[in-house]
């Protein structure tokens, strides 16, 4: 009976441990390589790191949603910078970033120095006191479930998407230009602005003037090769 109770207790403890989210963290010298998927959460003087005299506190991003990192930290894919502010905890730059995993998001507000995740676009650009350094915030949107979208001209264009229009936009601080975007799905022909990326496997068949393409005034007719 006691043996059975011990087995049940051990199994319960293991199950409880499996459901707990544990953040893996450690300390390294600043000249040491930072493992993939890890970020720098602090930076400080250390007599243990001859050469640089600086140590880093680093944390594994696996399983995490929000972290505070130093501005010079590596930035793993799928994360965005949501805030930027002065921090005595980050010797070297004196700036920390709020860092957020967008895996479960469709829309998010970020600072303009953020890496934009693959498949996301910049839908707006505006002044933000929450973003020390640039003073500019971005509205970001995941287009995974969309076939058309409006973006600012500084936005990355996801693979397989084209720019079908370009226009003045007060919603896009910095460039003042917005783009109409369209996703190529089953189409075999389309019309895009001349500065649009050309989808892989497509060719330009003709071109013509277009008032829909602010900036170049030229549109391309394209077709699948």
């Amino acid at each position: 009976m006691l043996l059975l109770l011990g087995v049940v207790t051990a199994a319960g403890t293991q199950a409880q441990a499996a459901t707990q989210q544990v953040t893996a963290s450690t300390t390294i010298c600043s000249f040491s390589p930072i493992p993939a998927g890890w970020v720098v959460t602090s930076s400080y003087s250390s007599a243990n790191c001859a050469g640089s005299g600086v140590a880093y506190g680093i944390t594994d991003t696996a399983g995490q949603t929000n972290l505070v990192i130093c501005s010079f930290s590596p930035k793993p894919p799928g994360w965005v910078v949501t805030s930027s502010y002065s921090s005595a905890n980050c010797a070297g730059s004196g700036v920390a970033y709020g860092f957020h995993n967008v895996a479960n998001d469709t829309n998010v507000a970020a600072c303009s120095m953020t890496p934009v995740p693959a498949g996301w676009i910049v839908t707006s650009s505006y002044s933000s006191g929450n973003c020390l350094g640039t003073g500019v915030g971005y509205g970001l949107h995941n287009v995974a479930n969309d076939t058309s979208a409006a973006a600012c001209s500084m936005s990355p264009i996801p693979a397989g998407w084209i720019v079908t229009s370009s226009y003045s936009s007060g919603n896009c601080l910095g460039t003042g230009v917005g783009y109409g975007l369209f996703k190529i799905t089953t189409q075999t022909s389309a019309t895009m602005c001349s500065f649009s990326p050309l989808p892989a496997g497509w060719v330009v068949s003709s071109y013509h003037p277009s008032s829909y393409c602010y900036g170049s005034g030229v549109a391309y007719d394209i077709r699948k090769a």
Side-chain angles (χ1 to χ4, degrees):
M1 182 65 179
L2 288 175
L3 178 60
L4 177 60
L5 180 60
V7 170
V8 172
T9 301
T13 301
Q14 290 173 356
Q16 182 179 17
T19 60
Q20 292 177 338
Q21 189 178 81
V22 178
T23 303
S25 299
T26 191
T27 300
I28 63 173
C29 291
S30 61
F31 49 77
S32 178
I34 298 171
W38 287 62
V39 292
V40 178
T41 54
S42 62
S43 173
Y44 50 91
S45 298
S46 174
N48 290 328
C49 295
S52 69
V54 176
Y56 287 166
I58 63 172
T59 296
D60 188 358
T61 60
Q64 302 302 305
T65 302
N66 294 289
L67 290 168
V68 174
I69 66 173
C70 293
S71 59
F72 48 79
S73 172
K75 297 166 185 66
W79 287 71
V80 298
V81 176
T82 56
S83 61
S84 174
Y85 50 90
S86 297
S87 174
N89 205 37
C90 294
S93 70
V95 177
Y97 287 166
F99 206 44
H100 175 70
N101 187 335
V102 298
N104 297 316
D105 299 324
T106 301
N107 298 286
V108 69
C111 292
S112 60
M113 76 286 284
T114 191
V116 179
W120 287 67
I121 60 173
V122 178
T123 56
S124 61
S125 174
Y126 49 88
S127 295
S128 175
N130 202 38
C131 297
L132 177 70
T134 65
V136 176
Y138 281 170
L140 301 181
H141 174 68
N142 186 340
V143 296
N145 297 317
D146 302 330
T147 54
S148 62
C152 292
S153 60
M154 78 286 285
S155 175
I157 311 299
W161 286 70
I162 58 175
V163 180
T164 55
S165 63
S166 174
Y167 48 87
S168 295
S169 174
N171 203 39
C172 297
L173 177 69
T175 65
V177 176
Y179 283 169
L181 304 181
F182 179 74
K183 183 180 181 180
I184 298 294
T185 53
T186 59
Q187 293 80 12
T188 56
S189 63
T191 299
M192 69 180 199
C193 292
S194 59
F195 44 79
S196 173
L198 182 66
W202 287 65
V203 296
V204 177
S205 55
S206 63
Y207 68 94
H208 53 84
S210 175
S211 59
Y212 289 104
C213 297
Y214 175 76
S216 72
V218 176
Y220 287 165
D221 294 318
I222 62 174
R223 61 177 174 79
K224 205 165 186 179

